[in-house]
Structure formats: structure tokens, C-alpha cells
Amino acid sequence: MITQLTEELAEITEREAARAAKKYPAYASDHEAYAVLLEEYEEAKEELEKIHEHLAMWWVDIKYNDTLQRKSYLKEIFESALCCACESLQVAAVACRAGAFKDEKAVKR
């Protein structure tokens, strides 16, 4: 199952790299590619931190049997997880563009 998902995500990543290549010129240097990659990584990390915060708040509500905010915490987790996935795909797309290895098979984990 994870292998199929990885393959599907690799295809999406290649499309994202191609979209970015049409919109932006090639990286002028490894320094520029690094800066873009770091920016995308930091954005993914911010979304992951939001998930962590809302997960902690949800757990407090569970412990104290407070149902008032549970649904909103789960909605925030869902939305941040999707944003994190998008940012992570952009990290992969930048790495793909910087390394120019898009024709190689995705790494199997």
C-alpha cells in the first residue's frame, strides 16, 4: 500500500516540478536551490507544528471529557496535514528540479 502511494506521490511531485519549471527559471546556483528548498521545508515544518499543537489540545479535551472543541481540533489537524503534504511535495519537487533526476524511479521505502 505505501509503495503504491509513494509512486502516486512521485508522479504528483514530477508534475509539480514541471509546473514550477514553466513558471520559474532554472536555479541560478546550488545556493539558490538550497534557499528555495529550505523555505519549502520550513513551511512544511510549520504545518507539522500546527498539527502537533492541535493534537495536544485535542488530547487535553479527551482527558477532561470536554467535547466542545474536539471537532474543530480535528478539522485543523486535517487541514494542516493536507497543507503539510503539499509543502512536503514542494520540497520533493525542488529537490527534483535541483537534482534533475526526475526520470529516475522514486525511492522505495
Side-chain angles (χ1 to χ4, degrees):
M1 177 81 130
I2 196 80
T3 302
Q4 181 181 354
L5 181 58
T6 301
E7 289 171 3
E8 291 172 12
L9 290 174
E11 291 173 12
I12 294 169
T13 299
E14 288 175 10
R15 288 196 306 267
E16 175 61 16
R19 185 199 64 77
K22 287 180 184 175
K23 189 173 180 179
Y24 304 106
Y27 300 119
S29 67
D30 285 343
H31 290 87
E32 181 184 12
Y34 173 82
V36 175
L37 188 63
L38 181 61
E39 178 184 4
E40 296 303 339
Y41 162 76
E42 288 174 346
E43 290 170 352
K45 186 177 172 186
E46 286 173 14
E47 292 300 331
L48 201 53
E49 289 168 354
K50 288 179 189 177
I51 294 168
H52 180 82
E53 291 169 12
H54 286 98
L55 190 59
M57 290 185 280
W58 186 43
W59 178 240
V60 169
D61 281 5
I62 291 169
K63 287 193 303 188
Y64 293 104
N65 203 25
D66 182 358
T67 60
L68 188 62
Q69 295 290 324
R70 282 190 196 175
K71 220 174 190 178
S72 67
Y73 293 144
L74 290 172
K75 185 176 184 224
E76 292 292 333
I77 290 168
F78 174 82
E79 290 173 358
S80 290
L82 288 180
C83 289
C84 185
C86 291
E87 294 297 344
S88 294
L89 281 171
Q90 289 183 328
V91 169
V94 172
C96 184
R97 284 187 71 206
F101 56 83
K102 68 179 182 177
D103 295 327
E104 295 177 21
K105 291 282 184 192
V107 175
K108 305 277 191 266
R109 291 195 176 216

